[in-house]
Amino acid sequence: MFTGIVLGGAAMTTGLVAGVFVLYAHTIMPGLGRTDDRTFVGAFQAVDRAIINPWFMSCFFGAPILTGASAVLHLRAGTDGGLPWIAAAFLLYLAVLVITLAVNVPANDTLKAAGDPDGIADLARVRRDFGEARWRAWNLLRVVLTGTAFGCLLVALVSYGRQG
């Protein structure tokens, strides 16, 4: 039973993170993209500060932890039907972690380090240096990877349910 609960938690947290990335892709970034430079910089800084919270961070880092724990529990229990799907989800999510920490977070931090938009002389340069198109492209890859990882975990849940 515990194995199934951990697998369900892995699927839940992965799905929630996928939803956050999808929301950025179809709503937040397109909406900000239609704003002037001052609004873009200030709003993105505010959103980026707000997302660093226990709810999001527990899902963002909980997803790979629960997925890895689920794989270990499946191995120990000898239930391997869903194991390849769990392993695939884990690897996909690891790629998301790398992309996030290597591309998106550094861009976010650069934008935040620019300071209060009211004190920035060249907001257009700050926005350009942020690399909006690059950020969005890498986020779209995160959407695909987390969505696929979520799907893999759903298949693993079905497989696990059929074994029990």
Side-chain angles (χ1 to χ4, degrees):
M1 176 106 164
F2 183 66
T3 301
I5 292 170
V6 172
L7 178 56
M12 177 75 78
T13 53
T14 300
L16 289 169
V17 172
V20 169
F21 294 152
V22 166
L23 185 63
Y24 268 93
H26 71 65
T27 303
I28 294 172
M29 294 308 287
L32 289 177
R34 294 182 187 105
T35 65
D36 61 86
D37 296 334
R38 193 218 173 283
T39 302
F40 178 88
V41 171
F44 192 96
Q45 287 175 339
V47 169
D48 190 57
R49 285 186 182 102
I51 201 168
I52 308 301
N53 65 68
W55 291 100
F56 177 72
M57 299 309 277
S58 64
C59 289
F60 183 73
F61 290 110
I65 291 168
L66 290 169
T67 303
S70 180
V72 169
L73 290 169
H74 273 72
L75 283 169
R76 285 189 178 166
T79 56
D80 62 353
L83 190 56
W85 295 103
I86 297 167
F90 185 77
L91 293 173
L92 289 164
Y93 201 92
L94 281 181
V96 169
L97 285 172
V98 169
I99 291 166
T100 301
L101 297 175
V103 178
N104 299 92
V105 168
N108 300 358
D109 290 347
T110 298
L111 195 64
K112 284 189 292 193
D116 185 331
D118 291 332
I120 299 172
D122 190 353
L123 285 163
R125 182 192 52 77
V126 169
R127 185 175 184 173
R128 190 173 47 254
D129 290 349
F130 168 73
E132 193 174 340
R134 180 176 187 260
W135 194 100
R136 289 176 73 169
W138 283 100
N139 184 65
L140 188 55
L141 182 56
R142 295 189 305 176
V143 168
V144 170
L145 294 172
T146 54
T148 304
F150 179 57
C152 289
L153 291 169
L154 293 179
V155 172
L157 273 168
V158 170
S159 177
Y160 178 76
R162 287 184 178 157
Q163 289 180 20

